[in-house]
């Protein structure tokens, strides 16, 4: 799995990619937990953060998780 090239073309594939990054961040111990709420037409993402209680959109989750994983790779 590489984080350099986007591997999505719609909201569903973007959500799937965000989930993959979330699982990777969990495996690497970069985040203590990761929750995805599934709805018929979208997903909501929760990444623990002292300042955030609102769910993230797939786009926000993807960008935040991508940054976390890339920073750990450096």
């Amino acid at each position: 799995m590489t984080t350099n090239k986007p591997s999505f073309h719609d909201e569903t594939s973007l959500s799937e990619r965000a989930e993959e990054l979330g699982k990777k961040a969990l495996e690497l111990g970069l985040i203590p937990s990761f929750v995805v709420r599934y709805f018929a037409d979208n997903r909501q993402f929760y990444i623990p953060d002292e300042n955030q209680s609102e769910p993230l959109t797939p786009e926000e989750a993807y960008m935040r998780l991508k940054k976390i994983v890339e920073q750990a790779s450096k």
Side-chain angles (χ1 to χ4, degrees), residues 1-59:
M1 174 171 40
T2 157
T3 58
N4 294 337
K5 297 178 185 175
S7 56
F8 51 85
H9 56 276
D10 59 15
E11 185 170 350
T12 300
S13 58
L14 174 61
S15 294
E16 290 168 356
R17 184 68 178 127
E19 283 188 60
E20 291 172 9
L21 286 171
K23 290 176 185 176
K24 181 169 184 154
L26 278 173
E27 290 172 6
L28 296 172
L30 303 174
I31 56 176
S33 64
F34 176 65
V35 176
V36 182
R37 291 179 63 193
Y38 296 89
F39 296 95
D41 60 346
N42 69 358
R43 299 177 199 177
Q44 292 179 339
F45 295 84
Y46 294 87
I47 304 168
D49 183 340
E50 296 172 9
N51 303 320
Q52 179 190 353
S53 61
E54 295 294 317
L56 298 172
T57 64
E59 295 86 357

